[in-house]
């Protein structure tokens, strides 16, 4: 998995935490008030509380399934409508008790700002604006629609305290999530710096094989063995390194280590023809001297350029396109190949493929995973393979885990594969043994 693919991992974790808090609030309030209003004979209000309880459970289940977008849409819509309904019909302000249902709009607004922070402004700001405007209207006016459904003043006197306390607890929970993640990120930044100095980072290698099973290359993947935490997931440390800028020294170390590995392989007959793919982050690639770094590393270790391949992500293509193309041409002149990773998941455009001097495109594992069960994924995989063939580009499928997936890809002229069907990522010595055994079987 590449750095850019992992760059949103912290944000996804934040969203899940926020959704858990939201689900807890909905279920807690819904269950408590449901029982109360049912016992007092306010069945219409009890029905609304039941909807909140069910919605909270649904949000919890969707979050468990990692359907976070749908979960957030559900919690936002249900909560907004419930607040509006209560503020207009049930929680009617009077001389005895003010309206307090609208306080939950503050919680919803803060949650929306945190969840939508990486979304386009045209989505983020209108939604936030509507929530703030609604809060201001309910907080500044006594607008309501008095009816027989209005909650009695005696109940609302108690509800004022409950709503105010619960809304503030929700706000505190969201602030705590943000502060906790900031503290975790700062701590991890310091650990990453120490880890680089102590050489706690290392590479593992996942084989890339031809249709006949012969190993022709590997993807170098960065791993971190923390002295206290053990193996730290790339999904935890790569995003922090990206945000802090530590991805630059880490990326430089990976490049040097990869070239040193290729130098060692060149002295072993069974490994001499094996290429090595290295993931490159956008920040790393966009450095003015990036091509010079590649040339220097290859010269220092005596690497044959054709053995080194750089995997670039589609998200990189939103940056200065002319600079990217110029650097790729320079790399091509050096003999270094470039592969477009996770093709089809980002900013794909046929015009990009026409302009970029690519050697390979990689079918994202998200399409490969369901290629046998999802007609859309199957169609996308076939289209990418056909496109690569027509443009003279090699196509490699990642995330191949079953023989059925491999057979489908083979039938559609895929000739390069990577995934657990062949091997998990291996330590250097284990990968070299894997290649040696593979070569022996081909004799």
């Amino acid at each position: 998995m590449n750095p850019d693919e992992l760059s949103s991992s912290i944000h996804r974790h934040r969203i899940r935490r926020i959704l858990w808090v939201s689900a807890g609030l909905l279920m807690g309030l819904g269950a408590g008030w449901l029982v109360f209003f049912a016992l007092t004979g306010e069945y219409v209000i009890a029905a609304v509380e039941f909807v909140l309880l069910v919605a909270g459970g649904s949000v919890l289940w969707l979050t468990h399934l990692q359907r976070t977008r749908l979960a957030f849409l559900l919690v936002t819509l249900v909560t907004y409508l419930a607040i509006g309904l209560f503020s207009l019909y049930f929680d009617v302000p009077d001389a005895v008790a003010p309206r307090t249902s609208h306080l939950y709009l503050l919680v919803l607004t803060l949650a929306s700002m945190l969840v939508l922070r990486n979304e386009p402004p045209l989505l983020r700001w209108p939604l936030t604006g509507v929530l703030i405007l609604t809060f201001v209207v309910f907080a500044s006016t006594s607008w309501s629609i008095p009816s027989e459904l209005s909650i009695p003043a005696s109940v609302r006197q108690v509800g004022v305290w409950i709503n105010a306390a619960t809304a503030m607890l929700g706000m505190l929970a969201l602030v705590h999530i943000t502060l906790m993640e900031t503290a975790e990120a700062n701590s991890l930044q310091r650990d990453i710096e120490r880890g680089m100095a102590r050489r706690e980072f290392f590479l593992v290698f996942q084989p890339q094989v031809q249709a006949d099973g012969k190993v022709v290359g590997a993807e170098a993947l960065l791993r971190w063995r923390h002295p206290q935490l053990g193996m730290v997931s790339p999904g935890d440390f790569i995003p922090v390194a990206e945000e802090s800028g530590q991805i630059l020294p880490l990326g430089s170390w990976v490049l040097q280590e990869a070239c040193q590995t290729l130098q060692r392989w060149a002295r072993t007959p069974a490994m001499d023809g094996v290429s090595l793919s290295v993931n490159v982050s956008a920040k790393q690639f966009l450095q003015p001297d990036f091509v010079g770094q590649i040339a220097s590393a290859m010269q220092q270790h005596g690497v044959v350029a054709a053995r080194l391949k750089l995997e670039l992500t589609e998200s990189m293509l939103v940056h200065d396109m002319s600079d990217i193309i110029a650097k790729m041409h320079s790399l091509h002149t050096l003999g270094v190949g470039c592969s477009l990773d996770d093709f089809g998941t980002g900013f794909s455009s046929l015009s990009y493929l026409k302009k970029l001097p690519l050697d390979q495109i990689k079918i994202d594992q998200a399409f490969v995973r369901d290629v046998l069960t999802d007609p859309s994924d199957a169609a996308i995989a076939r289209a990418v393979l056909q496109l690569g063939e027509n443009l003279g580009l090699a196509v490699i499928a990642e995330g191949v885990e079953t023989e059925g997936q491999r057979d489908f890809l083979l039938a559609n002229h895929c000739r390069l594969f990577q995934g657990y069907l062949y091997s998990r990522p291996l330590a250097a010595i284990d990968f070299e043994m894997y290649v040696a055994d593979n070569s022996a079987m081909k004799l």
Side-chain angles (χ1 to χ4, degrees), residues 87-135:
S87 297
L88 289 174
Y89 288 94
F90 305 148
D91 189 12
V92 178
D94 55 28
V96 176
R99 175 165 48 207
T100 53
S101 297
H102 65 289
L103 292 177
Y104 294 109
L105 285 169
L106 293 175
V107 185
L108 189 58
T109 301
L110 180 56
S112 298
M113 293 180 68
L114 294 172
V115 170
L116 301 177
R117 60 180 295 179
N118 291 343
E119 297 294 337
L122 288 177
L123 172 62
R124 182 171 68 252
W125 292 117
L127 177 58
T128 304
V130 168
L131 294 173
I132 292 175
L133 179 61
T134 306
F135 171 80

Side-chain angles (χ1 to χ4, degrees), residues 363-374 377-378 381 385 397-414 416-422:
I363 304 177
D364 183 67
Q365 59 184 333
F367 302 126
V368 174
R369 183 184 305 115
D370 297 323
V371 77
L372 298 177
T373 57
D374 190 326
D377 286 348
L385 288 163
E398 66 174 342
V400 181
E401 298 182 351
T402 68
E403 293 183 357
Q405 292 168 345
R406 179 200 59 195
D407 293 343
F408 172 89
L409 294 163
L410 273 172
N412 287 277
H413 311 292
C414 184
L416 292 170
F417 308 88
Q418 178 181 338
Y420 284 6
L421 177 63
Y422 300 95

Side-chain angles (χ1 to χ4, degrees), residues 265-399:
W265 288 356
R267 296 193 293 265
T268 306
M271 303 295 300
D272 187 34
V274 177
S275 65
L276 186 58
S277 298
V278 178
N279 292 298
V280 178
S281 73
K283 285 185 178 180
Q284 188 180 2
F285 190 85
L286 294 173
Q287 294 177 99
D289 64 339
F290 178 72
V291 177
Q293 292 180 33
I294 298 293
S296 175
M298 290 194 304
Q299 183 178 9
Q300 178 182 347
H301 297 285
V303 171
V304 177
R307 297 288 178 258
L308 179 64
K309 187 182 300 175
L310 304 180
E311 293 198 2
L312 315 177
T313 59
E314 290 189 70
S315 59
M316 191 182 298
L317 304 181
V318 299
H319 299 281
D320 187 349
M321 199 61 177
S322 59
D323 178 61
I324 291 173
I325 292 173
K327 285 178 179 173
M328 290 182 69
H329 277 295
S330 297
L331 291 167
H332 201 264
T333 300
L334 290 176
V336 177
C338 291
S339 174
L340 188 59
D341 197 7
D342 302 333
F343 183 75
T345 62
F347 303 89
S348 302
S349 169
L350 296 181
S351 63
Y352 292 158
L353 293 184
K354 180 180 177 181
K355 295 176 183 177
L356 298 174
L358 292 166
D359 301 278
Q360 183 186 80
I361 54 179
K362 206 169 191 181
I363 304 177
D364 183 67
Q365 59 184 333
F367 302 126
V368 174
R369 183 184 305 115
D370 297 323
V371 77
L372 298 177
T373 57
D374 190 326
S376 297
D377 286 348
I380 291 172
R382 279 193 293 263
V384 174
L385 288 163
Q386 185 64 51
L387 183 64
E389 186 175 343
N390 292 340
L391 294 177
L393 300 173
V395 180
I396 181 170
E398 66 174 342

Side-chain angles (χ1 to χ4, degrees), residues 185-249:
N186 290 337
S187 176
L188 207 54
Q189 285 178 26
R190 293 191 293 270
D191 285 354
I192 289 172
E193 187 174 352
R194 285 193 288 263
M196 287 189 286
R198 298 171 181 172
R199 299 187 64 82
E200 294 168 2
F201 292 92
F202 62 97
L203 296 181
V204 293
F205 306 89
Q206 186 166 36
Q208 296 175 334
V209 304
Q210 294 181 151
D212 61 0
K214 180 182 178 181
V215 179
V216 294
E219 180 180 3
L221 300 167
L222 184 61
R223 295 292 184 264
W224 182 16
R225 185 179 290 107
H226 191 283
Q228 282 81 43
L229 302 177
M231 294 298 296
V232 181
S233 167
D236 292 329
F237 74 82
I238 291 291
V240 174
E242 286 274 3
E243 292 184 6
S244 66
Q246 292 170 311
I247 196 66
L248 297 180

